[in-house]
Amino acid sequence: MDLDEAIATLLELLRNDRARNYGYDLYARTGAEFAARQRHPHEHYLDGPVRELSPIFYEAAWELCRRGLVRPGVRRSGEQAVEEGGYSLTVAGRVALTNLDAAAILIAQPGSLAATFNGYRKLFGDGFHQRAMEAIRCRNAEAWLACCAMVGAAAESVLLAIAITKERDEERVLKAYRANRGRQTVLNMIIGQADAQRRNTLTTFAGIVSLWRDDAAHGRASLIDTSNADEALRQPLHMCQWVAREWDNLTA
C-alpha cells in the first residue's frame, strides 16, 4: 500500500465517522486495521498485518495534519488519550469533509494528482507538465503562494496549447501572446467562433490565470493559505478534464 491509498482510506473513514477511537476523531491505527481486514478477510488475528501497515497510515495521518484537516490531540479536554496518540478534526477539516468528492480526494493524494496531470502531458505539452508538477511540489512544501502562481502558469499553458493547435502556427501565437494584452488575444483566437456555452466556460477557466498568476506578480503580501492552494489545484484539474473532452471542438 502506498501513501496515496492510505490517505484515501483515512478520508473515507473520516467521512463515514469510522476513524474514531479513544478520544480522537482520527486514530491512525484504525486505518491500518481496516486495511488489514480488507487484505486478510478470513484471518482472525491481524497483529502482524496491522504492524506492517501502520507506518504508512501514521504518515498518511500526518499528511492530513500538514494539510490542516486534522490536528494532533484529543477532541476536547477530558477525552481519553493514549500513548500512541491520534488526531482530531479542525474546523476547516469538518467543512472539507462535507464537500469531499473525488477531486478533493485526488488533490489530497500528491502521487495520484501528479499521475493525473501527467496524463495530459501529450495533449498540453511539456510546458504545462512542468508547471503542473511545480505546483504540486510547492503545495507539498507548503509554499502556498508559489503553488497558486504555478497553477495560473499551468492554466496559461493549456490556453497556448489550444491556440497553437487551432491556428497551426506556433510562432504567430507566441508573438501575439507576448504582445500587449496577449493573453486576451490568445483567448480570442480560441473562442472567436465558439458557441456561447464553450466561450463562457473557457473564459471562466481562463480566469484561473488572472486570479492566481497575476496576484503573485503584483509584489504585495498575500493571504493565500492551504485552502487556497487546494482550491487552486482543483481548478486546473477541472479545466484539463473539460478541455480534453472539448479538444476537437475547441481546435477545429
Side-chain angles (χ1 to χ4, degrees):
M1 176 173 287
D2 61 20
L3 179 61
D4 284 350
E5 189 177 354
I7 289 171
T9 298
L10 290 183
L11 285 173
E12 287 292 346
L13 290 174
L14 274 169
R15 178 164 61 177
N16 296 311
D17 200 23
R18 297 173 60 190
R20 290 190 178 199
N21 207 341
Y22 303 106
Y24 309 105
D25 289 319
L26 172 59
Y27 189 56
R29 181 184 169 91
T30 301
E33 292 171 347
F34 176 82
R37 284 194 299 272
Q38 284 193 316
R39 291 185 169 210
H40 308 279
H42 303 299
E43 293 187 26
H44 183 65
Y45 296 103
L46 295 172
D47 289 348
V50 169
R51 190 178 301 111
E52 180 183 347
L53 289 166
S54 62
I56 197 67
F57 278 94
Y58 292 153
E59 186 173 347
W62 179 243
E63 184 65 24
L64 295 181
C65 186
R66 289 180 62 242
R67 292 174 181 271
L69 300 180
V70 296
R71 53 157 180 82
V74 294
R75 285 185 293 273
R76 61 181 67 86
S77 177
E79 294 275 12
Q80 182 183 6
V82 294
E83 184 178 351
E84 192 172 357
Y87 301 84
S88 296
L89 285 164
T90 62
V91 172
R94 294 185 187 281
V95 173
L97 284 183
T98 63
N99 300 314
L100 193 64
D101 56 15
I105 293 175
L106 182 61
I107 289 167
Q109 301 172 279
S112 296
L113 182 60
T116 299
F117 280 137
N118 187 59
Y120 295 109
R121 183 174 189 171
K122 183 176 181 181
L123 191 62
F124 302 140
D126 291 338
F128 161 80
H129 181 261
Q130 180 186 36
R131 287 156 178 77
M133 295 303 104
E134 288 283 342
I136 294 173
R137 291 191 196 97
C138 290
R139 173 64 184 83
N140 294 340
E142 301 183 12
W144 318 128
L145 178 59
C147 171
C148 293
M150 284 296 99
V151 162
E156 198 160 40
S157 293
V158 173
L159 294 179
L160 285 171
I162 301 170
I164 289 169
T165 301
K166 181 175 182 178
E167 297 297 318
R168 296 177 176 83
D169 190 337
E170 181 175 357
E171 184 177 347
R172 188 173 78 85
V173 171
L174 292 179
K175 183 178 180 180
Y177 168 68
R178 296 188 184 106
N180 187 38
R181 294 180 58 82
R183 186 185 302 152
Q184 185 61 49
T185 301
V186 170
L187 181 60
N188 290 339
M189 288 180 180
I190 303 168
I191 64 175
Q193 303 299 321
D195 61 60
Q197 182 178 1
R198 292 189 179 93
R199 184 167 60 247
N200 293 338
T201 301
L202 192 61
T203 300
T204 299
F205 280 131
I208 299 172
V209 181
S210 56
L211 176 63
W212 299 124
R213 188 170 186 184
D214 292 355
D215 183 77
H218 287 160
R220 300 192 303 269
S222 174
L223 298 177
I224 288 174
D225 60 14
T226 177
S227 59
N228 298 122
D230 284 348
E231 178 58 28
L233 284 168
R234 179 193 294 264
Q235 292 170 347
L237 177 63
H238 290 319
M239 181 183 188
C240 290
Q241 291 168 339
W242 182 82
V243 170
R245 289 196 303 268
E246 295 288 338
W247 183 257
D248 290 342
N249 294 316
L250 293 171
T251 58

